[in-house]
Amino acid sequence: MLSVLFVCTGNICRSPIAEGLLAHRSARLLGGTLRVGSAGTWARPGQPPMPETVRAAGERGVDISSLRASSLDPEIVGEADVVLTMTAEHRDEVARIAPEASSKTFTLKELVTLLRRLPPAPYPPSRDAALARIVAADELRRSADAPAVPDEDVADPLGMSVETYRAVAWELDGLVDALVGGLFGDLRRASAAAGGTGA
């Protein structure tokens, strides 16, 4: 089981939406083979997601009302196979508290961009193949051929209108789809080619 950790600031807006969306994809497309969590660099443990966060995620078919905030610490980082942050500042914070995790820590947009530059993911999907692609993505970003990642931060909607939360949820929805495709391949197309019904 591949373990994915999303990180934002308060763990009440962006990272809970990403967690819910990826957990939903895992259940629908990967048989629940992902373990997905989230944490915040300045979280108040136990705090529920913002009402606008719950609403925006719910409008995309995902119920995250039961999630509660967790504080980012070296232990939770160490348990993850890949750490995906909402901003470059969050990525730097992960590297500060857990330097050994730098090779597996990316902004979400950064990893999606890097995975798109790699050869297609093999089928059938597997944890080992996904881990190998994470390693390859890290090697690529450290190389002379590293692609530019403009505007790699996902904006913080805290204090903004519900429309802003919807826009963030929409952006995260697309990024999570791209993440699943980058790590595991086009599972809908592969399933259809294999005679399945897809998802």
Side-chain angles (χ1 to χ4, degrees), residues 5-20:
L5 177 69
F6 289 107
V7 176
C8 70
T9 304
N11 196 204
I12 54 174
C13 296
R14 292 164 288 181
S15 57
I17 293 175
E19 176 183 353

Side-chain angles (χ1 to χ4, degrees), residues 24-164:
H24 185 252
R25 299 300 193 283
S26 175
R28 288 180 57 242
L29 300 175
L30 294 163
T33 58
L34 295 181
R35 184 171 72 246
V36 189
S38 63
T41 56
W42 288 94
R44 294 172 57 190
Q47 187 173 9
M50 293 293 292
E52 297 89 345
T53 303
V54 174
R55 179 175 175 181
E59 290 172 355
R60 307 203 76 79
V62 178
D63 180 7
I64 61 170
S65 60
S66 65
L67 297 182
R68 296 295 181 267
S70 297
S71 295
L72 184 72
D73 61 39
E75 182 178 356
I76 195 171
V77 170
E79 292 171 352
D81 292 312
V82 62
V83 182
L84 300 175
T85 69
M86 295 296 112
T87 70
E89 184 178 352
H90 297 137
R91 181 185 57 208
D92 293 344
E93 179 64 14
V94 174
R96 186 187 69 79
I97 69 166
E100 69 282 357
S102 294
S103 63
K104 66 176 183 180
T105 303
F106 308 79
T107 68
L108 175 56
K109 289 184 180 180
E110 177 185 30
L111 183 55
V112 165
T113 299
L114 292 164
L115 291 171
R116 284 174 173 155
R117 290 283 297 271
L118 299 179
Y123 188 84
S126 71
R127 179 178 186 272
D128 287 345
L131 288 172
R133 292 180 69 76
I134 292 165
V135 170
D138 179 53
E139 292 173 348
L140 175 58
R141 70 172 163 179
R142 298 173 190 277
S143 74
D145 297 324
V149 188
D151 189 27
E152 64 180 320
D153 295 352
V154 175
D156 187 354
L158 186 66
M160 307 296 283
S161 68
V162 70
E163 286 76 17
T164 303

